[in-house]
Amino acid sequence: MRRETLTRLAGAAALAFGGALVGCSTRRPPPPAAPAGPVTPPAPPQPPRIGLALGGGAARGFAHIGVIQVLEESGIRPDLVTGTSAGSLVAALYAAGRSGAELAALAEVMDETAFADWAFPGRGLIRGEALARFVREKTGGLDIDRMRIPLGIVATDLDSGDPILFRRGDTGTAVRASSAVPAVFQPVKIGTREYVDGGLAAPVPVRFARQMGAEVVIAVDISQVTDGAPTTDAARMLLQTFAIMGRRINHFELREADVVVQPALAGASGTDFSIRRRAIEAGRAAARAQLPQLRQAIAAKTH
């Protein structure tokens, strides 16, 4: 009896062991893991769009060249540029592809008397067409919307007093309009409207640089601070009048800029074209002083 029981137990164990072996032999291995897809690297940081806003100030506008030189030497290239009056001339040349060195060389040989195409008697002493021709020649005849760098030129609508941003059309005509100091230059008719100096409504065109898409705006203010010196001629009196009128406008305009560059040009008259080298160096010094703040502004808005 005991022997039969042991035999049965042994047989059951053998069957169980054999079933286990069969189960092991027929179990499917787990499917292989799906190959990992390519890892997409994170997008590189995108620098902000930089706008350069160049203000008006007649001969003091040579300082804009020094600012541009320092930006180039520091590897900072504006994505767009706006200009008013003298700033519109430098902005147009820069947008057309002129480097800081080329602008300085052009300043050395510039003959401002060549722009004096007299129109007396009339609504201004100078027609301004000579200035327009100069701009067309030095920009290769490029229209505003064909520049290498997006360009905006600001003038003032003579009837409404509103600032107008030119984004297309003949560059020479737009610069002529932006620079048309009342009583000195004749108003410029474009279409059915007449335009005069952009400095009357936007001495430094910061808001228009924003309008064109700038996330960081570098404003270059070359306006002349009234210093109590006597205004010995009509031209000086007009420029001082502009400085007085533009002071409050500049206060609101410049506070919208990320960086304000103000070259030290005390005592330098906007009618004195002999200051060109001094103005360029003043622009360089002022731009270098603002480089840390500019780099900080660019870093803060890099996304």
Side-chain angles (χ1 to χ4, degrees):
M1 180 74 175
R2 184 177 298 173
R3 185 175 181 179
E4 292 175 356
T5 300
L6 292 173
T7 300
R8 285 197 297 271
L9 290 173
L15 287 172
F17 182 69
L21 290 176
V22 171
C24 289
S25 64
T26 59
R27 184 179 300 163
R28 294 180 179 178
V39 177
T40 303
Q46 294 298 312
R49 284 175 58 80
I50 300 173
L52 180 61
L54 305 180
R60 295 160 67 94
F62 289 113
H64 292 316
I65 297 173
V67 174
I68 289 170
Q69 288 177 338
V70 170
L71 292 177
E72 288 179 339
E73 292 162 6
S74 305
I76 298 171
R77 181 175 176 82
D79 298 284
L80 57 95
V81 59
T82 58
T84 289
S85 198
S88 74
L89 172 59
V90 178
L93 298 174
Y94 179 58
R98 297 271 183 173
S99 67
E102 289 174 319
L103 290 172
L106 189 58
E108 284 290 333
V109 299
M110 181 182 292
D111 179 10
E112 65 277 6
T113 62
F115 301 150
D117 47 353
W118 302 104
F120 186 81
R123 298 168 69 194
L125 299 177
I126 299 174
R127 290 192 301 120
E129 184 52 41
L131 172 61
R133 286 196 302 269
F134 174 84
V135 172
R136 294 184 195 111
E137 176 188 346
K138 302 305 179 183
T139 60
L142 293 175
D143 283 349
I144 298 172
D145 54 339
R146 294 181 55 217
M147 292 291 178
R148 296 185 183 181
I149 302 173
L151 170 65
I153 294 175
V154 180
T156 301
D157 187 304
L158 183 58
D159 294 326
S160 68
D162 294 329
I164 301 296
L165 178 68
F166 291 107
R167 295 290 313 278
R168 63 183 70 250
D170 179 65
T171 307
T173 301
V175 171
R176 175 186 173 192
S178 181
S179 306
V181 178
V184 176
F185 285 84
Q186 291 182 342
V188 178
K189 189 170 184 178
I190 302 175
T192 61
R193 312 292 292 183
E194 285 188 313
Y195 300 94
V196 291
D197 196 294
L200 290 171
V204 184
V206 173
R207 72 186 116 157
F208 292 106
R210 295 278 186 206
Q211 182 178 314
M212 289 174 62
E215 298 168 281
V216 170
V217 177
I218 308 164
V220 186
D221 175 23
I222 57 167
S223 59
Q224 186 168 352
V225 178
T226 54
D227 54 8
T231 52
T232 54
D233 54 55
R236 287 176 182 268
M237 184 180 69
L238 273 172
L239 290 175
Q240 182 147 318
T241 302
F242 267 52
I244 294 169
M245 292 172 57
R247 188 182 306 163
R248 184 166 296 275
I249 301 173
N250 261 356
H251 172 73
F252 292 102
E253 192 88 23
L254 294 177
R255 70 182 184 181
E256 298 299 322
D258 295 276
V259 176
V260 178
V261 179
Q262 293 176 306
L265 289 168
S269 169
T271 61
D272 184 3
F273 282 79
S274 69
I275 66 169
R276 62 194 75 194
R277 290 186 183 179
R278 174 189 168 191
I280 291 173
E281 286 305 314
R284 289 183 60 85
R288 282 195 298 264
Q290 293 299 325
L291 277 177
Q293 182 181 346
L294 175 55
R295 290 195 175 102
Q296 185 177 2
I298 293 172
K301 295 192 178 182
T302 295
H303 47 81

